[in-house]
Amino acid sequence: MRKKNLLILLLTLFCFLPTSVQAAAAKSYPLKQVLILSRHNIRAPLAGRDSALAKLTPHTWFNWQCKPGELSPRGGELEVLMGQYFRQWLEREQLLAPNAQPAPQAVRFYANSFQRTIATAHYFSAGLLPVGNVTIEHHQALNEADPVFLPDLPDSEPFRQQVRQEFQTAGLEKKLQERGLRSCKVLTKLLDFNQSAYAAKHGPVPFTGAITPLKDGGIGLTTPWSALVPASDAITLQYYEEENDLRAAFGHQLTEQEWKDAAALKELGINSLFGTPTAAKALAAPLLTVMEQELTNGQRKITFLGGHDVNLAEILPALDVEAYKLPHSIEEKTPIGAKLVIEKRQGADGEEYASLSLVYANTSQLRHRTPLSLNAPPERVPLRLKGLAANADGLYRFSDLQQRIKSAIADGTHWN
């Protein structure tokens, strides 16, 4: 009876392993290479406490111990914890040896040139390769945008017309109006907005109105609630930094759904405009080019690309990833510190295979700085690609993924 119960337990645990791990365990697909595209971890709000942000609420914002836009000490600690988890995982997969000091050509860490992205890469490398003496590569002066991560939109009227057409065809204006209304209601309650200096001077923020893409011909949406977007960003970051629920919410008691609503406003533009196929591919093409080069570099074992939520928001639709849901996250698509992980594996049949997943610390792990390990892992959500057939173990032929990447690059550079 004990043996039977043990067998049932083992089978149950096996069923809940991530798809890629199940495949490796069942069919022995050795891991050859891993590429990690990471959003930076917790940063201070881009708007400082003495900026217009302070006028949106009568309350005092969290006292950040870093400059606006910089990675916070908690954000750095969380990246070390995530790096330690990846080290355990890659040692189990035998891609890394304990206390590994890989050859320079085996590992590449490349980040956008902002403090928060460079620092995220440094802290992650400290957890992953604590004695590896990793160099963090960046190509611009500090806090200047690297066009690989943050390119300009094509200066083409046909391109703009195509994006607007896709925006309208998908019915995004109506969807955004409905989601924005719900988010604005929660935010104004949370902020006690009606008692704010902004409300006293300007009156209430309109919750409804026309929404149009490509604000001023550039990246962004024209919305009626633009004044509240910095507050959505700041309150989400405050929630991660402040472990006391009431202090995080200025004395209000919020449900998990209300926190999701409060965080949603800052995400609406990213997850709608960048999700249109033409905009996604155009913006993602430079970074996809780097990813394709890395995945076909025979010397590379580990690539870490340090970017932003916009990079994940572009790359996933550019690759035509199916809709997904993220458990235990108040951010719906690209959580703070989230990582797109592409695994390249060797099949017994001589073919190379690949899987994609989104790995992120859940809200509780972020707020309580939970140590991560194989026994207490971060969330891992497998990603599926529309129109591509996976094998019986849930893996794609690497050549199919490579062709998907090349096609997205070609479509994206078409407008230049």
Side-chain angles (χ1 to χ4, degrees):
M1 180 62 71
R2 289 182 178 177
K3 289 184 177 179
K4 182 178 180 181
N5 289 340
L6 179 60
L7 178 61
I8 292 172
L9 176 61
L10 290 173
L11 289 173
T12 302
L13 290 173
F14 183 80
C15 291
F16 285 97
L17 287 172
T19 303
S20 58
V21 178
Q22 287 186 39
K27 294 290 186 179
S28 185
Y29 296 84
L31 183 62
K32 295 180 61 179
Q33 185 182 5
V34 62
L35 183 146
I36 303 162
L37 171 60
S38 177
R39 181 186 177 188
H40 60 77
N41 217 294
I42 299 172
R43 58 161 170 78
L46 299 176
R49 295 173 72 209
D50 297 328
S51 68
L53 185 64
K55 298 179 174 62
L56 296 173
T57 178
H59 304 289
T60 301
W61 289 97
F62 183 83
N63 185 22
W64 291 87
Q65 301 303 304
C66 54
K67 295 178 181 178
E70 291 189 348
L71 192 76
S72 74
R74 179 187 293 262
E77 182 179 350
L78 290 167
E79 279 302 312
V80 173
L81 296 175
M82 185 64 81
Q84 290 173 334
Y85 162 75
F86 269 79
R87 173 160 54 90
Q88 292 182 33
W89 171 55
L90 294 178
E91 287 178 0
R92 184 185 66 183
E93 293 282 350
Q94 299 183 352
L95 191 69
L96 280 181
N99 294 316
Q101 294 179 290
Q105 64 269 23
V107 175
R108 185 186 187 192
F109 275 68
Y110 171 29
N112 195 12
S113 297
F114 288 96
Q115 186 272 355
R116 57 186 177 274
T117 45
I118 297 170
T120 292
H122 270 293
Y123 282 110
F124 183 87
S125 72
L128 178 70
L129 296 164
V131 296
N133 196 27
V134 172
T135 297
I136 309 301
E137 173 187 343
H138 66 97
H139 294 171
Q140 307 296 322
L142 185 62
N143 292 326
E144 289 188 7
D146 184 333
V148 166
F149 292 93
L150 296 175
D152 292 327
L153 279 173
D155 186 15
S156 161
E157 186 55 33
F159 168 82
R160 290 187 280 271
Q161 290 176 358
Q162 180 67 22
V163 172
R164 294 187 190 105
Q165 180 61 49
E166 291 171 357
F167 186 86
Q168 293 168 1
T169 301
L172 290 176
E173 183 174 10
K174 182 178 179 182
K175 293 176 184 177
L176 286 169
Q177 286 173 338
E178 293 172 352
R179 190 71 180 93
L181 175 61
R182 205 164 81 212
S183 185
C184 285
K185 286 182 177 179
V186 171
L187 272 172
T188 51
K189 165 192 164 183
L190 170 57
L191 297 170
D192 291 309
F193 176 78
N194 291 337
Q195 302 171 37
S196 70
Y198 185 98
K201 182 176 181 179
H202 302 283
V205 170
F207 291 169
T208 59
I211 299 173
T212 56
L214 302 180
K215 179 180 180 181
D216 301 325
I219 301 172
L221 298 176
T222 299
T223 70
W225 56 70
S226 59
L228 288 177
V229 172
S232 173
D233 175 68
I235 201 67
T236 303
L237 297 164
Q238 179 167 291
Y239 180 59
Y240 292 146
E241 283 277 345
E242 174 55 75
E243 294 184 29
N244 182 289
D245 288 350
L246 288 177
R247 285 201 294 267
F250 295 135
H252 296 280
Q253 188 69 54
L254 267 63
T255 65
E256 182 181 11
Q257 183 56 55
E258 286 177 317
W259 276 113
K260 289 181 178 180
D261 291 338
L265 203 67
K266 67 179 177 55
E267 299 182 293
L268 294 183
I270 294 172
N271 294 333
S272 54
L273 178 59
F274 292 7
T276 57
T278 295
K281 291 175 182 178
L283 291 166
L287 189 52
L288 282 173
T289 300
V290 173
M291 292 169 65
E292 200 274 334
Q293 292 168 349
E294 290 296 303
L295 288 168
T296 54
N297 183 330
Q299 294 182 306
R300 199 81 74 218
K301 287 186 176 181
I302 300 170
T303 301
F304 181 95
L305 301 173
H308 310 263
D309 51 357
V310 294
N311 297 125
L312 292 171
E314 298 154 3
I315 294 290
L316 298 181
L319 295 179
D320 214 5
V321 169
E322 292 182 1
Y324 58 89
K325 290 187 177 181
L326 303 181
H328 313 302
S329 171
I330 65 168
E331 296 180 273
E332 295 180 353
K333 295 296 181 183
T334 57
I336 199 81
K339 287 153 179 60
L340 168 62
V341 180
I342 301 179
E343 302 168 32
K344 186 178 180 182
R345 295 181 176 272
Q346 182 67 55
D349 58 1
E351 291 279 352
E352 292 179 330
Y353 292 88
S355 67
L356 298 86
S357 57
L358 204 61
V359 177
Y360 61 97
N362 63 40
T363 302
S364 176
Q365 290 168 337
L366 290 170
R367 300 190 72 212
H368 302 296
R369 290 173 283 189
T370 305
L372 303 174
S373 67
L374 295 176
N375 294 323
E379 304 290 339
R380 181 186 286 260
V381 174
L383 301 175
R384 312 310 303 172
L385 297 171
K386 297 176 185 177
L388 283 191
N391 68 7
D393 298 305
L395 301 177
Y396 296 106
R397 288 184 182 274
F398 176 72
S399 57
D400 290 341
L401 172 61
Q402 186 181 16
Q403 185 56 50
R404 175 65 60 90
I405 294 173
K406 287 182 175 180
S407 295
I409 294 170
D411 290 345
T413 54
H414 164 74
W415 302 98
N416 293 334

